[in-house]
Amino acid sequence: MENTTPIEPIALDRTTLQQSSLRDRHASALAKLMEERDDLRGTYAFADMVDDSLRWSA
């Protein structure tokens, strides 16, 4: 039998906030890059989708 300890809610909340912050920074950087470099459009479908999603939500 394994001796496991539950994850503390505070640690879980901190991790969730860090992941959310990282996701927001990446989306922001991607939007800025796609705005500056039109030649990148069409090279990676996921980047195009994220860029389009950000434009529609603004």
Side-chain angles (χ1 to χ4, degrees):
M1 187 185 252
E2 292 182 32
N3 184 9
T4 60
T5 57
I7 298 174
E8 294 181 31
I10 295 171
L12 187 59
D13 290 341
R14 186 178 309 133
T15 301
T16 303
L17 288 173
Q18 288 173 341
Q19 289 173 343
S20 177
S21 176
L22 181 62
R23 183 179 52 244
D24 292 344
R25 283 186 287 157
H26 283 180
S28 177
L30 177 61
K32 182 178 177 184
L33 178 65
M34 295 296 280
E35 184 178 311
E36 293 173 355
R37 300 268 317 267
D38 290 332
D39 61 316
L40 293 177
R41 181 149 294 280
T43 57
Y44 187 53
F46 184 69
D48 291 345
M49 183 196 69
V50 171
D51 185 44
D52 290 340
S53 297
L54 289 170
R55 289 174 192 262
W56 278 100
S57 67

